[in-house]
Amino acid sequence: MTWPPTPEDFQRLRDTLVWVAAQSPYYRRQFEAAGLRPEGLQDYDEFRRRVPLTFKTELVENQRAHPPFGEFLAAPREQFGSLHTSPGPIYIPRLAEERGGTAVLVEAIAAMGVRRGEVAHVTLSYHIMPGGLRLHRAFEEYGCLVVNGGTGASRLQVEVARTWAATVYAGTPSFLAHLGDTAREMGLDPSRHLHYRVGFSTAETLTPALRRELEDTFHIELFDHCGEAQIGPLAGECRVHDGMHLHARDLFCEFLDVETGEPVEPGGTGELVATPLGPRALPLVRYAPRDVFQLLPDACPCGNPALRLRFIGQAGVIRKIKGVLVHPAQVHAVTSAFPELGRFQIVVEQGGRYDRALLRAGTVRAPAEPEALALALAERLKATVLIQMDVELVPETEIPEAAAPPRFGEAIVDRRTKA
Ligand SMILES: [Zn+2]
C-alpha cells in the first residue's frame, strides 16, 4: 500500500474487514458495539473515525481470559500451519498459506545487493519467537545458503562463520558487536578472518555510533530493518541508507499524530497503526504497537517510490518541547557518539513564554575538557533534535536507571504546568 492510502488500498482493507467480522468473535463484537457494518464503510476517513484501535495489552488480556488463543481467532486449529509465541506471552498461530512476511523480506534482501548463492549467517533466536525462522526462510527462498546460527554459543558461531566464509550477517547489531569481541578473544582479526560483506540489522536500534563501530570492525555495509512480532516485517534500508522503505505489501499502515490522532503527511512524525490484509489465523485490526516514525518527505535517489521511515521510538515517552516532538531515543543517538556519556535526563520547564529544556548528561568517566564536551553536545543536539537545550554534566549515578534505553521511562521530566 501507499500512504496516504489510495481507493484501491481502502478496497483491500474493506474486503479484509468483511472477512474478519464474519470469522473473529472478538472483532464481530467490537464492530457491533460500534454499530458498524464493514461492507458499508465508505472511505478511509470513515474507517479511521469509527474503528477502534487494538493495543497489545488487549490481545494479552483476551488470550489470558480465553486460553490459549483468545477470541481474536478466525480459523479452526486444524488449519494452523505453525505456532509462534511473542513476549507477553502472546500466542500467534499462522495459517499454512500465510507467508508470514517472507515475501517482503526477500525484497529487502534484494535491495541490500545480496547475490544468490552467498552464505547467510542468521543469528536471531530460532526458539519460540518467529523472527529467526522467518528470516531463515526468506534467505533460503532468495537463493542463499543459510546457516542457522541462532543466539549464544558465540565462539562456535565465529568458527562456523569463518569455516563457511559467510558473507551475509543477519541479526541484531549488538550480537554482531559481540561476535567481533569474541573473534578478537580467539586471536582473530574480524575484518580479515571473517568475511561479512553486508549485514541485515534488525530487532534493535542501529545507532549511528554502533553502525560506525561495526563498519570499522568488519568492513561490512549494514542495512537497518524494522518489524514487529505481531505484524511482521515493516521497512528496510536500500543502498542509499537514508531511512527505511516501507514494504507493507499485505499491511494497511496508518501514521497518526501522537496527540491529535490525525493522519500525518510525509515530512511529519506519526504513530504506526497497522491492519494485516487477507485471511489470518489471528487477525488484527488497527493494531497499535506504539511505535513512532518520522516520514521522510522526498523521493529516494534509489528509484524505489515506497515511503521512507525513520524509527523514532515508543509513543509513551515522546514529548512536545518548544513545539517539536522529542523522543529520548533521538537524544540517545547523539549522546551515544560521546564515549564519556551514559544515561541522561531531559528536564523541561516553563520559562516565561517558552519551554526551557535542560539535558542532564550522565558521565561514566571524567571528561578531559568538560566545557568543550558540553558545548559540542549542545551543538550536535541543536543540529539533530532541532531544539536548543542547556547541557549540564553530572555523574551518571545521579541519573535514575529507569531513564536508560531502550525504555527511557524517566528520561524526560516534564515540570511544565498543564493548561
Ligand atoms: Zn531508496
Side-chain angles (χ1 to χ4, degrees):
M1 75 161 290
T2 54
W3 176 255
T6 63
E8 292 73 34
D9 293 328
F10 173 71
Q11 185 60 48
R12 280 189 76 199
L13 172 69
R14 187 169 55 190
D15 291 347
T16 297
L17 296 180
V18 170
W19 185 87
V20 169
Q23 304 293 326
S24 161
Y26 180 87
Y27 283 112
R28 187 159 51 240
R29 204 171 54 231
Q30 286 258 324
F31 294 168
E32 274 170 17
L36 185 82
R37 288 178 56 249
E39 53 275 31
L41 281 176
Q42 293 300 311
D43 53 20
Y44 166 64
D45 239 31
E46 190 189 359
F47 166 75
R48 181 172 65 79
R49 278 186 284 105
R50 299 192 57 194
V51 179
L53 298 178
T54 303
F55 293 102
K56 191 183 276 181
T57 45
E58 291 165 310
L59 185 53
V60 174
E61 280 162 19
N62 191 274
Q63 288 198 340
R64 210 168 277 161
H66 306 273
F69 298 114
E71 301 168 302
F72 284 72
L73 207 62
R77 226 172 149 123
E78 306 78 70
Q79 291 178 16
F80 296 175
S82 57
L83 181 60
H84 302 298
T85 308
S86 79
I90 299 175
Y91 299 114
I92 318 165
R94 198 164 58 83
L95 298 172
E97 71 261 29
E98 267 180 61
R99 296 182 70 206
T102 48
V104 293
L105 284 176
V106 167
E107 284 172 25
I109 291 165
M112 289 165 57
V114 174
R115 296 184 286 267
R116 286 176 176 79
E118 278 197 271
V119 176
H121 182 197
V122 177
T123 67
L124 284 183
S125 172
Y126 280 70
H127 298 104
I128 314 274
M129 311 236 290
L133 194 57
R134 181 190 285 151
L135 205 48
H136 187 111
R137 284 184 174 139
F139 274 106
E140 210 172 88
E141 199 173 304
Y142 184 76
C144 286
L145 176 56
V146 196
V147 178
N148 61 319
T151 54
S154 47
R155 282 182 168 244
L156 183 58
Q157 301 246 24
V158 167
E159 248 178 73
V160 169
R162 188 184 178 197
T163 304
W164 295 103
T167 48
V168 182
Y169 171 86
T172 63
S174 63
F175 192 69
L176 181 59
H178 180 61
L179 288 183
D181 294 343
T182 306
R184 289 195 185 102
E185 276 166 32
M186 293 163 73
L188 303 173
D189 174 354
S191 71
R192 267 194 327 121
H193 295 109
L194 294 176
H195 306 276
Y196 297 136
R197 181 178 76 74
V198 288
F200 182 99
S201 172
T202 189
E204 278 176 7
T205 307
L206 180 61
T207 62
L210 185 54
R211 188 195 289 258
R212 270 195 304 278
E213 181 197 322
L214 292 170
E215 283 172 352
D216 289 348
T217 302
F218 291 97
H219 302 168
I220 191 173
E221 181 181 2
L222 285 173
F223 292 79
D224 201 3
H225 182 272
C226 71
E228 203 268 342
Q230 267 63 246
I231 58 173
L234 184 73
E237 271 185 354
C238 64
R239 299 203 66 179
V240 176
H241 301 289
D242 187 14
M244 296 175 280
H245 284 284
L246 181 67
H247 45 223
R249 198 193 274 182
D250 295 319
L251 270 184
F252 187 94
C253 293
E254 304 168 63
F255 295 93
L256 307 175
D257 187 286
V258 289
E259 291 182 348
T260 65
E262 291 293 313
V264 168
E265 296 283 321
T269 296
E271 179 179 349
L272 169 74
V273 171
T275 304
L277 298 171
R280 308 272 170 155
L282 191 96
L284 290 168
V285 175
R286 301 201 84 204
Y287 182 69
R290 309 308 320 267
D291 290 337
V292 176
F293 292 91
Q294 183 189 357
L295 316 184
L296 304 190
D298 306 316
C300 183
C302 80
N304 179 352
L307 180 68
R308 283 173 302 155
L309 312 176
R310 197 168 281 142
F311 180 66
I312 300 290
Q314 282 275 293
V317 287
I318 202 162
R319 290 285 181 285
K320 202 171 252 181
I321 303 174
K322 302 186 184 195
V324 177
L325 283 173
V326 176
H327 194 288
Q330 293 168 291
V331 175
H332 180 242
V334 174
T335 60
S336 63
F338 297 90
E340 300 92 337
L341 301 179
R343 295 191 297 274
F344 61 84
Q345 207 165 31
I346 304 158
V347 183
V348 195
E349 287 174 317
Q350 215 134 27
R353 280 164 72 186
Y354 303 102
D355 297 335
R356 219 175 36 220
L358 168 69
L359 179 76
R360 302 183 71 229
T363 53
V364 290
R365 61 165 188 259
E369 293 177 61
E371 274 149 41
L373 173 64
L375 193 66
L377 186 54
E379 277 174 6
R380 201 80 67 83
L381 285 167
K382 177 93 174 85
T384 316
V385 190
L386 306 177
I387 61 168
Q388 184 84 48
M389 284 193 212
D390 299 324
V391 171
E392 180 191 355
L393 301 178
V394 298
E396 195 195 31
T397 46
E398 289 188 19
I399 308 292
E401 278 177 26
R407 299 203 156 272
F408 298 107
E410 294 177 19
I412 298 186
V413 181
D414 198 341
R415 292 195 182 138
R416 291 170 293 189
T417 45
K418 298 280 180 308

